[in-house]
Amino acid sequence: MQLKPQDFLVALKLVAWGDQRWTYARLAQELGLSASEAHACVKRGLQAGLLAQNYQALDATTAGLAVQEPTAIYRVARQKRSRVAATSSQVAQGTPAMADNPVRPHSKQLAEFALHGARYAFAADKTPSTIGVPTSHSAPAFAGVFAPGSEDYVWPHPNGTVRGIGVEPLHPSVPFAAMQDARLYEMLALFDAIRVGRARERGMALERLQALIDPAAPKKVKGPMYG
């Protein structure tokens, strides 16, 4: 199994969606992929540990089939029903129903890969100055964060509005996918800042991207500033 750029893109999209219910058809449509490709991406993401199987969803499916299955299977499903009932209660109370989805991001392992491995697995290729969609520190999410005068980076695209140094996107569908989802756009731009940014930009991107992918991760304690 070889992890592909679109597998990482799918994992980030699931992070962007959070607790929303989703379907493979919607996943494919919003990322500019085919349905079969979306399925393959999820399968490789599970194998690589970037995604995790949602066992609550499997339990719900098993409980739904229990009435039609042999008694032995029914007993097993019956033991799981308490967790399924709890999930149903949460849905009724308005709690996000992530349990209905077949998989979920493995936050800790996905963050580790995004911060320390993905830039090497999916190294950035730069192109000469071109028109495109802003990325890295030039993306709209970082307006005002960096001092003026920094060189702009863009994903080359004929419908772009900004001229800058071209950065080949993680996957050809990235410009399209980013324009559909502001949260996904932010994570993709942060990833590019890690790939092509200077030290200060990389440091900010590492901290911010981890907070988006794995909010439960311990925050680094910053030492006192001198001088």
Side-chain angles (χ1 to χ4, degrees):
M1 191 276 296
Q2 181 179 359
L3 197 66
K4 298 182 178 181
Q6 57 266 39
D7 305 337
F8 184 45
L9 175 61
V10 163
L12 293 182
K13 180 64 175 178
L14 297 185
V15 172
W17 271 343
D19 292 334
Q20 294 183 46
R21 289 191 182 98
W22 55 269
T23 64
Y24 281 99
R26 182 185 172 199
L27 181 64
Q29 181 180 18
E30 293 200 16
L31 292 181
L33 305 173
S34 67
S36 60
E37 193 172 14
H39 275 275
C41 288
V42 167
K43 182 178 180 180
R44 288 190 295 267
L46 285 168
Q47 290 177 311
L50 304 185
L51 304 176
Q53 194 77 57
N54 197 337
Y55 291 105
Q56 286 182 311
L58 292 177
D59 289 350
T61 301
T62 304
L65 294 174
V67 176
Q68 303 173 1
E69 294 296 331
T71 305
I73 298 179
Y74 175 72
R75 291 197 191 100
V76 174
R78 192 175 180 184
Q79 292 173 2
K80 298 177 179 179
R81 190 173 294 167
S82 60
R83 278 187 293 173
V84 178
T87 301
S88 299
S89 175
Q90 291 174 349
V91 174
Q93 297 172 13
T95 304
M98 188 176 184
D100 290 344
N101 295 325
V103 300
R104 57 182 172 78
H106 193 305
S107 301
K108 182 178 179 180
Q109 292 177 187
L110 177 58
E112 183 179 1
F113 177 69
L115 302 182
H116 306 297
R119 64 177 294 198
Y120 302 108
F122 312 126
D125 290 326
K126 296 181 182 179
T127 69
S129 179
T130 185
I131 292 291
V133 178
T135 186
S136 185
H137 63 272
S138 306
F142 313 117
V145 175
F146 298 102
S150 300
E151 292 181 304
D152 285 323
Y153 286 100
V154 301
W155 295 314
H157 196 278
N159 296 329
T161 58
V162 174
R163 178 171 289 277
I165 299 173
V167 178
E168 289 297 329
L170 177 68
H171 184 267
S173 68
V174 156
F176 166 79
M179 300 311 294
Q180 315 302 311
D181 186 332
R183 189 175 178 85
L184 176 62
Y185 189 175
E186 181 177 1
M187 287 189 286
L188 290 167
L190 286 169
F191 176 58
D192 277 348
I194 295 172
R195 294 202 297 170
V196 301
R198 295 172 297 186
R200 179 169 175 264
E201 295 158 2
R202 288 199 305 272
M204 183 278 292
L206 287 166
E207 183 176 344
R208 193 161 174 174
L209 188 56
Q210 178 163 26
L212 290 172
I213 296 176
D214 188 15
K219 304 295 187 294
K220 290 184 179 180
V221 178
K222 296 182 180 179
M225 299 182 67
Y226 300 97

